[in-house]
């Protein structure tokens, strides 16, 4: 999730606040709603897709530092749930800091190896002029005062890692984790409980970068694709906490699906897409969508879309995946191997989504909003 934090403020000001073939064998018919926990750093379109769809049951949201600090991510998630009338979903706040990485370490990395496009919670200014506004900088323990007002809904008393552990023991083999931020909470849960990953049905995470190329020609899309021309294997979510990313890559997930940045370069959150979704959605959800800033790739939405409809995938590969934890020019970079070439140090094979059908994804996004309206979400 990136740079979508102003939508709630716009709602308040408006008075509305409160492969196919490749994947066919991988997608058995769903006889009941799939239990999902969302792991992320805020509240955005990906959350709405899963919350509104009648294909899944979101049983919790956990937050982590990444784009923003964990306390701000928690406030955004709580406020977002209030805004769309989903106060029934618990929110557990997670790790404030990465396992080893830090803002100071990132500044040292930039001094040695070059400037980064996006640094999340450590972001103070853009390197070059951009259409996006400079995000507000906050310290990890600064009081949170959202422009649209702070939530009245309270977070869970549990920390995220404990919440995750408790839920997978309560529903063994039933929960799909959809992680669209850094991996810190998942790594902590695995280290606290070595059974944790084995009790999850599937981990689907957005992160990593294999070999992305510019697909769309408009300036906004080209700018985001250009980020990977000189650092093709570095992606923010995994590089924010490389050690956690590596721990997760070695955990015994029954099924592991990686949605890297690669397929996102063919997608865009266009004004037309937002308008279609807002029109199909329940009124309060539609108001939220209408206030979102267009122009960004559909990073996290691809992960959510895969959970709702694996048939969006047009190209995929099964690879052993890990992340570089050696401090140097490739710190946090994606590592991958085909069968037989992996180091053999416990790396887990992952199903890597390399390309999707953007039109099918967009249709699924609109359909999720329509499902929300049809199940009576407009009366929340």
């Amino acid at each position: 999730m990136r740079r979508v934090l102003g939508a709630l403020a716009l709602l308040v000001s408006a008075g509305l606040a409160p492969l196919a073939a490749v994947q066919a064998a991988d997608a058995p018919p769903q006889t009941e709603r799939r239990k999902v926990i969302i792991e992320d750093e805020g509240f955005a379109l990906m959350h709405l897709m899963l919350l509104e769809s009648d294909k899944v049951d979101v049983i919790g949201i956990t937050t982590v530092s990444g784009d923003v600090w964990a306390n701000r991510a928690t406030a955004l998630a709580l406020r977002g749930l209030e805004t769309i009338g989903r106060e029934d979903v618990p929110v557990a706040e997670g790790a404030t800091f990465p396992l080893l990485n830090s803002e100071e370490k990132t500044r040292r990395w930039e001094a040695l190896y070059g400037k980064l496009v996006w640094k999340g919670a450590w972001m103070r200014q853009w390197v070059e002029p951009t259409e996006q506004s400079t995000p507000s900088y906050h310290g990890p323990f600064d009081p949170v005062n959202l422009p649209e007002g702070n939530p009245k809904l309270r977070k869970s008393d549990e920390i995220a890692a404990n919440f995750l552990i408790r839920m997978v023991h309560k529903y063994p083999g039933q929960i799909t984790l959809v992680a669209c931020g850094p991996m810190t909470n998942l790594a902590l849960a695995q280290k606290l409980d070595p059974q944790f990953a084995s009790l999850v049905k599937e981990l689907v995470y957005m992160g990593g970068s294999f070999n992305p190329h510019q697909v769309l020609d408009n300036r906004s899309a080209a700018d985001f694709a250009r980020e990977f021309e000189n650092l093709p294997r570095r992606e923010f979510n995994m590089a924010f906490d490389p050690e956690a990313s590596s721990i997760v890559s070695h955990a015994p997930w029954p099924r592991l699906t990686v949605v890297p940045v690669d397929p996102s370069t063919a997608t865009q959150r266009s004004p037309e897409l937002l308008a279609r979704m807002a029109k199909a959605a329940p009124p309060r959800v539609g108001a939220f969508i209408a206030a979102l800033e267009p122009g960004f790739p559909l990073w996290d939405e691809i992960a959510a879309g895969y959970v709702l409809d694996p048939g969006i995938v047009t190209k995929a590969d099964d690879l052993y995946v890990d992340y570089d934890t050696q401090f140097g020019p490739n710190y946090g970079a994606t590592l991958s191997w085909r069968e037989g070439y992996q180091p053999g140090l416990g790396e887990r094979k992952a199903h890597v989504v390399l390309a999707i059908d953007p039109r099918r994804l967009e249709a699924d996004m609109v359909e999720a909003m329509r499902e929300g309206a049809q199940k009576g979400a407009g009366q929340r």
Side-chain angles (χ1 to χ4, degrees):
M1 181 196 117
R2 297 190 190 181
R3 307 184 278 285
V4 292
L5 309 179
L8 291 174
L10 293 175
L11 284 179
V12 173
S13 66
L16 292 170
L19 252 5
V22 176
Q23 282 297 111
D26 297 330
Q30 297 292 322
T31 58
E32 60 183 24
R33 296 172 69 195
R34 193 173 185 179
K35 290 181 174 60
V36 165
I37 295 177
I38 301 172
E39 162 80 11
D40 196 31
E41 69 269 68
F43 192 87
L45 200 55
M46 173 270 294
H47 295 75
L48 297 181
M49 293 170 62
L50 296 171
L51 287 163
E52 295 303 307
S53 173
D54 62 11
K55 297 180 178 65
V56 301
D57 177 19
V58 177
I59 61 173
I61 294 174
T62 54
T63 62
V64 66
S65 291
D67 284 344
V68 297
W69 294 109
N71 60 352
R72 187 164 299 272
T74 301
L76 288 164
L78 293 169
R79 185 62 165 162
L81 290 171
E82 285 181 344
T83 301
I84 67 168
R86 287 300 308 269
E87 292 90 342
D88 58 301
V89 179
V91 177
E93 187 172 308
T96 297
F97 298 107
L99 299 183
L100 293 178
N101 200 16
S102 66
E103 184 172 0
E104 294 76 15
K105 198 170 183 178
T106 298
R107 284 202 297 265
R108 175 60 59 88
W109 190 96
E110 288 188 297
L112 293 170
Y113 306 115
K115 305 303 181 186
L116 296 170
V117 173
W118 178 247
K119 297 189 286 290
W122 304 324
M123 190 77 174
R124 293 176 184 260
Q125 64 185 24
W126 298 103
V127 175
E128 58 185 346
T130 179
E131 295 180 3
Q132 287 74 36
S133 59
T134 301
S136 300
Y137 178 83
H138 303 279
F141 306 116
D142 287 351
V144 177
N145 291 298
L146 300 179
E148 63 276 7
N150 289 332
K152 296 181 177 62
L153 187 63
R154 296 181 62 85
K155 67 182 180 181
S156 169
D157 291 333
E158 286 183 288
I159 62 172
N162 287 346
F163 175 80
L164 290 166
I165 291 169
R166 180 171 65 84
M167 295 305 283
V168 300
H169 279 274
K170 183 177 181 180
Y171 302 108
Q174 300 179 57
I175 294 176
T176 297
L177 297 180
V178 184
C180 295
M183 298 286 104
T184 316
N185 290 337
L186 302 185
L188 289 171
Q190 181 61 27
K191 287 301 184 182
L192 287 167
D193 179 5
Q195 286 188 300
F196 168 69
S198 67
L199 294 173
V200 173
K201 179 177 182 178
E202 181 178 8
L203 170 61
V204 178
Y205 74 77
M206 189 275 134
S209 177
F210 289 77
N211 190 28
H213 295 283
Q214 179 183 339
V215 176
L216 302 180
D217 293 330
N218 63 72
R219 177 181 172 185
S220 179
D223 284 347
F224 285 113
R226 191 162 64 91
E227 176 180 351
F228 302 98
E229 288 180 358
N230 296 306
L231 290 172
R233 288 260 167 165
R234 185 181 178 90
E235 183 275 328
F236 171 76
N237 283 346
M238 299 299 102
F240 189 81
D241 192 343
E243 288 75 19
S245 302
S246 185
I247 289 170
V248 168
S249 298
H250 290 76
W253 311 99
R255 180 166 174 80
L256 174 61
T257 298
V258 178
V259 180
V261 75
D262 301 53
S264 72
T265 62
T267 67
Q268 190 166 31
R269 195 166 71 190
S270 67
E272 185 271 339
L273 172 61
L274 293 176
R276 288 167 56 204
M277 294 183 68
K279 183 178 180 180
R284 295 170 75 176
V285 177
F288 183 97
I289 294 170
L292 290 171
E293 180 183 358
F296 297 97
L298 299 174
W299 292 296
D300 300 352
E301 292 79 7
I302 297 174
Y306 171 83
V307 172
L308 300 178
D309 177 16
I312 66 171
V313 178
T314 59
K315 182 181 179 182
D317 204 350
D318 291 333
L319 300 169
Y320 290 89
V321 178
D322 197 0
Y323 296 91
D324 195 334
T325 58
Q326 301 298 313
F327 188 80
N330 294 317
Y331 185 50
T334 307
L335 306 172
S336 62
W337 307 269
R338 296 193 183 280
E339 183 71 51
Y341 290 88
Q342 73 273 20
L345 299 175
E347 308 83 9
R348 297 287 169 165
K349 184 179 287 188
H351 190 67
V352 181
V353 175
L354 296 172
I356 63 157
D357 180 343
R359 291 186 179 181
R360 181 162 174 168
L361 171 63
E362 291 185 6
D364 289 336
M365 295 169 73
V366 174
E367 179 60 23
M369 300 305 106
R370 187 176 295 114
E371 290 171 355
Q374 290 174 347
K375 66 184 179 183
Q379 300 177 2
R380 290 200 296 260

